[in-house]
Amino acid sequence: MADKLPKKDAEQFGILVTCFEKKENKKGLKTAEALLKKHPRHAETMAMKGLICNNMGDKTAAHELCSKAAEIDPNSHLVWHVYGLLHKQEQRYDEAK
């Protein structure tokens, strides 16, 4: 079972998503690491960290984080969406469906 975030940490997760959208990768990575320190099994944060790692060129860590997030919470729409974005960024469209 994945962790659920309290309100304050959920706001931090919103900041993480905004950092990804604005391509503020270093700030997003720090935010994700802080959230994962408090909630190490929060799959959505783990998946977002993977997406940011991919943007920073660490494709191995990106795939490890996203697959681990999918194992932790296989019912999360956001986790699977992020996994699809990861494949799309790598132009692996057959796996991004």
Side-chain angles (χ1 to χ4, degrees):
M1 186 72 183
D3 285 348
K4 299 294 179 193
L5 295 177
K7 185 177 179 179
K8 184 177 181 181
D9 293 334
E11 290 172 2
Q12 285 298 110
F13 183 78
I15 291 170
L16 170 62
V17 172
T18 302
C19 288
F20 168 74
E21 291 170 348
K22 292 182 177 181
K23 298 186 187 324
E24 296 173 347
N25 294 323
K26 288 183 181 180
K27 182 179 177 185
L29 188 60
K30 286 176 81 173
T31 304
E33 288 173 349
L35 281 170
L36 287 172
K37 192 171 188 178
K38 289 182 181 178
H39 307 280
R41 292 188 48 84
H42 189 251
E44 294 173 350
T45 301
M46 197 176 295
M48 287 301 297
K49 181 180 176 183
L51 203 53
I52 289 172
C53 285
N54 190 57
N55 285 348
M56 297 176 82
D58 192 356
K59 296 183 184 315
T60 304
H63 281 281
E64 288 174 4
L65 286 163
C66 285
S67 66
K68 187 174 178 183
E71 288 175 16
I72 291 171
D73 193 358
N75 297 321
S76 171
H77 173 268
L78 182 70
V79 169
W80 289 109
H81 180 70
V82 167
Y83 216 174
L85 288 174
L86 182 65
H87 288 302
K88 183 179 173 187
Q89 286 178 351
E90 295 176 345
Q91 298 179 346
R92 293 167 40 185
Y93 302 112
D94 55 327
E95 296 181 33
K97 294 178 184 178

